[in-house]
Amino acid sequence: MLDTDARATYDRVVRAILALVVILSAATASAQTAFIQGGAGRDIRRFSGDAETSVFDGSAGSFTAAVGGHVLPHWILSAEFDAGQRSSQSTTTTVTINGLPRDIHTSYASDRRSLSALVGYETTARHRVQFVYAAGLSFTTFRRDISSDGEEIVLQSPAPGSRYTSRLSGAIAGVDTVIHIAPHLALVPGVRVQGLAIDPDLGAFSIRPSAAARISF
């Protein structure tokens, strides 16, 4: 959870990136070429630290949407939204209660939402293929849920579970391959890499390969 000062800082930063998105939209409106795109992929999450934090390691489907355009030859500004679906896994621990072994099941789940502003360099087209190398700033909401039947087994009362919501900001980078299949249509496979500094003692990273359809106008 965030304290009051951290939440206020995060809110100010989110307002700043929303303003940047508006600027990007205005810039792309007057750009030589603008585009919108949408696609799907995978969100592969890995946590650093001990085995207790690695229970949140996992992968899930993701949805992406973007708008952008050329503001200079070879240079692109874009705004991206990326939603990683829920991933989960469970562990089982055997304990002895009143001389009898009992299994306690614990479930760990997480999901992610990101809004990013990116600047990219686009190579010259060769055989209808271009590469875009992009980097920028991302703002992420990352949720972790933990639930267990241990309290119900020991105390005979159900436990409500716990939810931890982290609001993060940090760098993001990626590479896209733009394959032009028609005058205003392209297939765009790509990948994004983002670090997630959730707590001082808990870090993670998200690798997100995807494929999208792009319409230029």
Side-chain angles (χ1 to χ4, degrees):
M1 300 298 291
L2 291 179
D3 57 32
T4 302
D5 291 341
R7 178 56 184 268
T9 300
Y10 180 82
D11 289 343
R12 287 195 297 270
V13 174
V14 168
R15 286 195 293 269
I17 195 172
L18 289 175
L20 181 57
V21 170
V22 173
I23 295 171
L24 288 174
S25 299
T28 57
S30 60
Q32 190 173 29
T33 303
F35 65 83
I36 58 173
Q37 71 179 48
R42 298 294 293 176
D43 183 3
I44 304 168
R45 309 170 194 141
R46 294 294 182 266
F47 285 77
S48 61
D50 53 28
E52 186 174 328
T53 59
S54 65
V55 293
F56 289 103
D57 289 353
S59 64
S62 65
F63 165 80
T64 65
V67 58
H70 294 81
V71 292
L72 291 171
H74 295 289
W75 290 97
I76 295 174
L77 291 178
S78 63
E80 294 183 354
F81 173 76
D82 187 296
Q85 298 176 1
R86 187 179 180 90
S87 66
S88 63
Q89 63 174 300
S90 300
T91 62
T92 301
T93 303
T94 301
V95 299
T96 301
I97 302 175
N98 297 326
L100 298 175
R102 299 292 300 272
D103 289 336
I104 294 178
H105 305 90
T106 305
S107 176
Y108 303 87
S110 64
D111 60 69
R112 177 199 52 79
R113 303 286 186 274
S114 297
L115 178 64
S116 307
L118 296 164
V119 58
Y121 178 80
E122 184 179 62
T123 64
T124 301
R126 292 187 178 181
H127 306 290
R128 295 188 175 184
V129 175
Q130 294 174 284
F131 296 96
V132 179
Y133 304 94
L137 189 61
S138 182
F139 297 86
T140 298
T141 298
F142 191 83
R143 295 187 302 184
R144 293 172 290 152
D145 294 324
I146 303 175
S147 60
S148 174
D149 60 7
E151 186 172 336
E152 183 176 0
I153 291 173
V154 175
L155 302 178
Q156 303 300 312
S157 62
S162 301
R163 167 167 287 184
Y164 304 90
T165 301
S166 302
R167 293 177 172 84
L168 316 168
S169 60
I172 185 172
V175 178
D176 292 332
T177 302
V178 183
I179 305 170
H180 298 278
I181 58 178
H184 298 283
L185 182 64
L187 179 65
V188 187
V191 64
R192 296 289 181 268
V193 179
Q194 179 185 359
L196 303 170
I198 297 172
D199 290 316
D201 298 325
L202 177 58
F205 61 89
S206 170
I207 300 176
R208 305 194 290 271
S210 66
R214 173 180 294 184
I215 298 175
S216 302
F217 49 92

